[in-house]
Amino acid sequence: MLTSLYVEGRTWFHRAPVRAKLIALLALSIALFTTNSLLLLLPAFLLCGGLYFSLGLTLRQAFARVGFVFFTILVLAVVNLFLVPVPEVLALVLRLMALVLFAAAVTATTTIGAFMDEVTVLLGPIERLGLVRAADVSLALGLVLRFVPDIFARYQAIREAHRARGVPIRPLTIIGPLIILTLKDADTIAAAIDARGFRRQ
């Protein structure tokens, strides 16, 4: 069961500074969206895949983290086959999958605390302009990263409960209970945050 996005390891990517990884992710995003060349997108996809699968994850763990997103991308690709030329669809798939793999590598090698600290520092100049509260943004990011595995685990539990009761597993019968449970958790977390005064007034 997926309990955390972070994976213990001693790879060079684990040791890389958080800021460097976030800047690399931003730069990669910009670079990939400025080209439709398959000669550039395919190597980028292969490099990102090689990086992701070198982090110490088993194949099952690796695919569990990105499988649903990949499935969504493939569905999007099938729809686009009726709208745009095949080379453009291939470019779309390679671009998005490369970004997903690199982002997954970043989250797998960076602790939530390190993410929050770095985001707070990076948003400091913007906070001084009065546009955002850096601590609030970093807290929101930390909560997202912390509870994504919980939501995934809850989805698996609901699916197994349906299977045990012989109830047909359909998206609508799973999404409803999942949303309700997630919202209840969100209310509990919000109350705890307010009670501890984590947010500045």
Side-chain angles (χ1 to χ4, degrees):
M1 182 178 291
L2 182 63
T3 57
S4 173
L5 293 178
Y6 177 70
V7 178
E8 293 283 351
R10 297 184 178 180
T11 68
W12 70 270
F13 205 62
H14 280 84
R15 297 191 299 270
V18 181
R19 185 172 304 183
K21 288 187 278 193
L22 293 177
I23 292 174
L25 178 59
L26 175 62
L28 179 66
S29 303
I30 295 172
L32 292 181
F33 277 94
T34 56
T35 180
N36 282 322
S37 172
L38 297 180
L39 295 177
L40 295 176
L41 292 173
L42 180 57
F45 168 73
L46 294 176
L47 286 173
C48 291
L51 172 64
Y52 178 62
F53 285 102
S54 70
L55 301 177
L57 293 164
T58 65
L59 285 177
R60 182 175 181 178
Q61 290 173 328
F63 282 111
R65 288 163 173 261
V66 299
F68 180 76
V69 181
F70 275 14
F71 174 75
T72 304
I73 292 172
L74 291 176
V75 171
L76 180 64
V78 171
V79 173
N80 275 273
L81 282 174
F82 299 97
L83 305 174
V84 297
V86 173
E88 291 187 24
V89 175
L90 291 175
L92 170 70
V93 171
L94 292 173
R95 181 185 298 118
L96 293 179
M97 286 189 172
L99 284 176
V100 168
L101 288 169
F102 193 86
V106 172
T107 56
T109 57
T110 309
T111 63
I112 295 174
F115 260 122
M116 293 176 65
D117 291 342
E118 193 59 42
V119 168
T120 300
V121 172
L122 291 174
L123 292 180
I126 301 177
E127 182 177 35
R128 285 191 285 273
L129 295 175
L131 299 178
V132 298
R133 288 200 234 180
D136 288 352
V137 175
S138 66
L139 177 61
L141 176 63
L143 289 173
V144 169
L145 294 176
R146 169 61 183 84
F147 288 101
V148 162
D150 285 356
I151 294 172
F152 181 74
R154 191 172 290 115
Y155 165 80
Q156 290 182 315
I158 294 173
R159 186 179 61 182
E160 291 302 321
H162 277 60
R163 184 174 293 140
R165 294 181 176 89
V167 178
I169 300 175
R170 299 189 181 93
L172 290 179
T173 62
I174 293 179
I175 291 175
L178 182 62
I179 291 175
I180 292 172
L181 291 173
T182 302
L183 290 176
K184 286 183 178 179
D185 281 351
D187 286 339
T188 302
I189 294 165
I193 290 172
D194 288 339
R196 288 165 175 80
F198 287 159
R199 294 184 75 256
R200 296 195 306 265
Q201 297 300 323

